[in-house]
Amino acid sequence: MANPRITFIGAGSTVFMKNIVGDILQRPALSGATIALMDINPQRLEESAIVVNKLISTLGVKAKAETYSDQRKALSGADFVVVAFQIGGYEPCTVTDFEVPKKYGLRQTIADTLGVGGIMRGLRTVPHLWKICEDMRAVCPNAIMLQYVNPMAINTWAISEKYPDIKQVGLCHSVQGTAMELAHDLDIPYDEIRYRSAGINHMAFYLKFEHRQPDGSYKNLYPDLVRAYREGRVPKPGWNPRCPNKVRYEMLTRLGYFVTESSEHFAEYTPYFIKEGREDLIEKFGIPLDEYPKRCIEQIARWKGQAEAYRSADKIEVNESKEYASSIINSVWTGEPSVIYGNVRNNGCITSLPANCAAEVPCLVDASGIQPTYIGDLPPQLTALIRTNINVQELTVQALMTENREHIYHAAMMDPHTAAELDLDQIWSLVDELLAAHGDWLPEWARPSKMRAA
C-alpha cells in the first residue's frame, strides 16, 4: 500500500506536533508516511525535526521527515495538511488582546475564540489560512486540511466561504476531553459512557450523556451530575487548580445540558459571570481572569527544558493522545470507518442554526472523506445561547470577506460579554485602540492608516 504524505504547517508547535505524529506512526497503515514539517522559525523547525526523527527511531518505523521554510513546497503532493499556528504569538499579540481591553475594565480569561480577543485573533489568522488554501489549490487540491487553529469557528466559516472547494475540518479535543472529565467526576469508566454532542466549537452541548448498564440498557447521567453538583461532590479538582470548572455545572442547572468547553472559556462567552464590581461572582465560580497569558508564560518556560531534553534523549516516549487527526487520516487512507467530532459548514446538519455557520457535529470518516451527520433542531434555549456567539463569528467573517472594517465594530458590539460591560462609545474606542496596537499583524484593509471616520 502507498504511504501518505502528511504536511504540518506550523510544525514549530513541537509538543502538539509530537503528539499527532506519535499517534500517526503507531498506526500500521501510516507508519511509512512522509512527514513534511514547515515553520517560519528555523530553530523551532529544527527542534521539531529532531523530535520526529527520534519518534521514528523509537518506534522502529519506515517513516521519513522533511523540513521546509517554503509553505508551497511543503504542501506539494500532500494528502493531508495539519495546521497549528498562532499568528502574533504570546508577544506581542496575546498581550495586546488582554492589556488593551483591561484599560476599559473589560476582563477576559482566554480571549482566543470570542470577545474582542477572539475577533482580533480571527482578523490576524484567517488571511494566513486563506493563503494555505490558495497553495493547496495549486499543489495538492485533493488534500484534506485538518485545522487546529483558534478561533476555530471563525476560521472554519471563513475558509468555507472563500474556498468552498477545499476539503477541511476544524478539530478540537473539547468534546472527548470533557466527556472524560465528567466520567471521572462520577467515578465511571470512560469506555462505559455514551454521548451525542452538537452545537458550535466551544459551545456544543451533550444532547445525551449516558452510562451503559450491565443489562445493555443506558442510564441518563444528567440527574446524577446535577445532584452531585448540588451536594458539592463535583466538580472534582482537575489538572489546573486555577480553573475549578464551576461555571459549566451552574449552567447545567439552568439549561439542562452540559457544555463541551471549559468553564474558563464559557465564562467569557456569556454575560453572566465576569462583571465589573461583582467580585463575589469571580470568587463564587472561581473565574480565572488572565488565564491564557499565565498558561503562555508557563508553557514558554516549560518548553526550554523540554527542548533540551528532546535534543539529548536517545528515545522519546510515545503515548496515545486524545486528538482526532490520526483517526481521520487512517480512516480516509484505509477505509476503516471511525466517528469524530468535527467543525464543518453546517449545511442543515443542525436545522435551528444558520446553514452557512461552522457547526460542530459527529462525523463519519471513511474512504469517502469526512461526512457530517444530521442532528435536527437543538433545544431552543441552546439555540438561543449559541446564536449570540454565531452573531460575533458571522460579522467577523463578513468583515474579512468584504474588507468592511465597520463590521469589526459590529462584531464587538454583538459580543455578549463586551456588550454587558461597555457602552457603545467605549466599544468603538476599544476597537480603535486594538486595531492601532496590532498594526501590521492585521490585514492591510483593517489597519488604522486605512480607516475612515465612522
Side-chain angles (χ1 to χ4, degrees):
M1 189 175 186
N3 292 309
R5 179 177 176 83
I6 305 165
T7 298
F8 284 77
I9 304 295
S13 301
T14 308
V15 175
F16 173 79
M17 181 278 309
K18 166 193 169 282
N19 292 339
I20 301 291
V21 172
D23 290 346
I24 288 168
L25 298 184
Q26 289 180 86
R27 293 181 179 269
L30 310 178
S31 62
T34 295
I35 309 295
L37 305 171
M38 182 270 159
D39 203 277
I40 59 172
N41 183 321
Q43 181 183 338
R44 294 300 294 263
L45 184 61
E46 184 214 5
E47 289 166 349
S48 290
I50 289 169
V51 168
V52 172
N53 281 313
K54 288 188 178 179
L55 284 172
I56 291 169
S57 172
T58 299
L59 292 167
V61 293
K62 295 182 178 178
K64 62 177 181 174
E66 300 173 351
T67 57
Y68 297 87
S69 57
D70 183 288
Q71 180 172 283
R72 186 169 286 202
K73 286 180 181 174
L75 289 167
S76 183
D79 299 295
F80 303 94
V81 178
V82 181
V83 185
F85 52 55
Q86 183 183 346
I87 303 301
Y90 166 62
E91 290 181 313
C93 289
T94 293
V95 172
T96 298
D97 284 340
F98 274 85
E99 294 305 313
V100 174
K102 211 181 287 182
K103 289 162 54 179
Y104 291 79
L106 186 63
R107 299 173 296 173
Q108 301 170 100
T109 54
I110 306 292
D112 71 351
T113 298
L114 209 73
V116 288
I119 293 165
M120 291 298 142
R121 192 160 171 149
L123 295 173
R124 298 194 301 269
T125 303
V126 166
H128 293 272
L129 290 169
W130 279 348
K131 183 65 174 72
I132 295 171
C133 293
E134 215 172 281
D135 287 345
M136 286 176 67
R137 267 185 179 173
V139 299
C140 59
N142 296 316
I144 298 175
M145 180 194 286
L146 310 181
Q147 194 255 117
Y148 277 97
V149 185
N150 280 321
M152 178 68 66
I154 288 171
N155 296 342
T156 305
W157 193 333
I159 290 170
S160 71
E161 286 291 314
K162 188 155 185 171
Y163 294 92
D165 53 309
I166 292 294
K167 293 179 235 176
Q168 58 135 348
V169 62
L171 297 171
C172 182
H173 52 240
S174 60
V175 174
Q176 65 273 40
T178 291
M180 292 173 188
E181 286 180 58
L182 293 180
H184 171 70
D185 277 358
L186 293 176
D187 295 314
I188 295 171
Y190 175 66
D191 60 9
E192 294 178 12
I193 297 288
R194 179 175 78 171
Y195 57 84
R196 185 166 175 79
S197 168
I200 59 173
N201 182 239
H202 287 191
M203 200 182 273
F205 292 84
Y206 295 105
L207 304 177
K208 289 182 179 178
F209 198 79
E210 301 170 324
H211 180 207
R212 187 175 69 249
Q213 302 299 292
D215 65 359
S217 65
Y218 282 86
K219 175 189 175 185
N220 176 17
L221 287 174
Y222 272 138
D224 293 9
L225 286 168
V226 171
R227 190 181 312 111
Y229 175 59
R230 288 184 169 147
E231 292 174 359
R233 292 183 283 115
V234 299
K236 291 181 179 176
W239 68 274
N240 187 344
R242 293 191 299 262
C243 305
N245 204 24
K246 293 179 182 177
V247 167
R248 291 195 287 177
Y249 272 99
E250 183 66 21
M251 291 301 287
L252 166 63
T253 70
R254 312 291 178 151
L255 296 171
Y257 297 87
F258 203 91
V259 73
T260 56
E261 188 45 82
S262 65
S263 288
E264 55 268 29
H265 277 277
F266 201 64
E268 65 182 7
Y269 301 161
T270 59
Y272 314 122
F273 297 98
I274 307 172
K275 290 181 174 291
E276 186 69 26
R278 292 297 309 275
E279 299 310 303
D280 58 313
L281 292 174
I282 304 298
E283 178 73 22
K284 179 180 179 181
F285 294 107
I287 310 294
L289 297 169
D290 295 328
E291 173 62 19
Y292 188 58
K294 290 171 187 168
R295 290 185 194 177
C296 289
I297 291 165
E298 290 167 356
Q299 189 178 42
I300 291 165
R302 193 164 56 242
W303 173 246
K304 289 178 182 175
Q306 281 181 320
E308 189 50 48
Y310 286 145
R311 193 179 287 275
S312 59
D314 291 328
K315 294 189 173 184
I316 294 179
E317 185 180 355
V318 187
N319 297 312
E320 188 179 347
S321 82
K322 58 185 178 185
E323 306 294 351
Y324 287 129
S326 73
S327 176
I328 293 170
I329 295 170
N330 186 68
S331 290
V332 172
W333 199 247
T334 67
E336 179 187 335
S338 63
V339 175
I340 59 105
Y341 279 84
N343 292 271
V344 295
R345 192 178 193 275
N346 185 21
N347 284 345
C349 290
I350 301 176
T351 45
S352 55
L353 298 182
N356 61 339
C357 80
E360 188 170 79
V361 295
C363 301
L364 170 68
V365 190
D366 59 18
S368 296
I370 298 162
Q371 300 150 77
T373 61
Y374 175 81
I375 297 294
D377 280 359
L378 296 177
Q381 71 273 27
L382 303 186
T383 295
L385 192 59
I386 289 168
R387 183 68 230 204
T388 67
N389 282 219
I390 285 178
N391 290 336
V392 181
Q393 297 162 5
E394 184 169 33
L395 285 159
T396 306
V397 172
Q398 278 298 304
L400 286 154
M401 289 294 295
T402 63
E403 300 189 358
N404 179 350
R405 37 187 101 66
E406 290 177 11
H407 289 325
I408 303 172
Y409 298 83
H410 298 154
M413 188 181 153
M414 297 299 165
D415 177 64
H417 175 42
T418 304
E421 294 287 281
L422 306 184
D423 65 34
L424 289 169
D425 285 342
Q426 289 174 310
I427 292 169
W428 251 249
S429 179
L430 169 57
V431 172
D432 282 342
E433 200 169 332
L434 280 167
L435 294 176
H438 282 305
D440 290 349
W441 288 105
L442 298 171
E444 193 175 347
W445 59 268
R447 294 173 195 168
S449 61
K450 300 291 180 181
M451 297 188 68
R452 36 180 212 280

